[in-house]
Amino acid sequence: MKIKNTTIIKILDLLALLVFIASFSPLVLPPHQLDPKFLKIPYTMWMGFAVSVVFVLLAYAVSLVYKKQKDVD
């Protein structure tokens, strides 16, 4: 069971690293782009919020895996 949890943690870490790298790419921070806007808020602001939500969800998933591992031990 410990090997499976370690694999899950490594996958979640890799996803967090990919999101971190993507957050500084033109996917999230396109140069000189304000459109599309949603509720008068620029694209970059919404994408920054989306990246933050993804990081929170990844952190929650890691906490669930560690909690499950602690309960098994």
Side-chain angles (χ1 to χ4, degrees):
M1 192 70 157
K2 190 178 264 188
I3 294 171
K4 189 174 185 180
N5 285 343
T6 304
T7 304
I8 293 171
I9 293 294
K10 286 181 182 179
I11 291 170
L12 291 172
D13 286 345
L14 180 62
L15 286 173
L17 181 65
L18 290 173
V19 171
F20 173 76
I21 291 169
S23 67
F24 292 102
S25 73
L27 178 67
V28 176
L29 298 171
H32 309 294
Q33 180 179 353
L34 295 176
D35 293 325
K37 290 185 177 185
F38 181 67
L39 298 175
K40 298 182 181 180
I41 298 175
Y43 171 81
T44 304
M45 181 71 150
W46 284 110
M47 285 303 291
F49 178 73
V51 167
S52 299
V53 169
V54 169
F55 276 126
V56 168
L57 293 175
L58 286 171
Y60 180 68
V62 169
S63 71
L64 289 177
V65 171
Y66 276 123
K67 182 178 178 184
K68 183 178 178 184
Q69 183 178 0
K70 187 177 178 182
D71 290 342
V72 170
D73 290 341

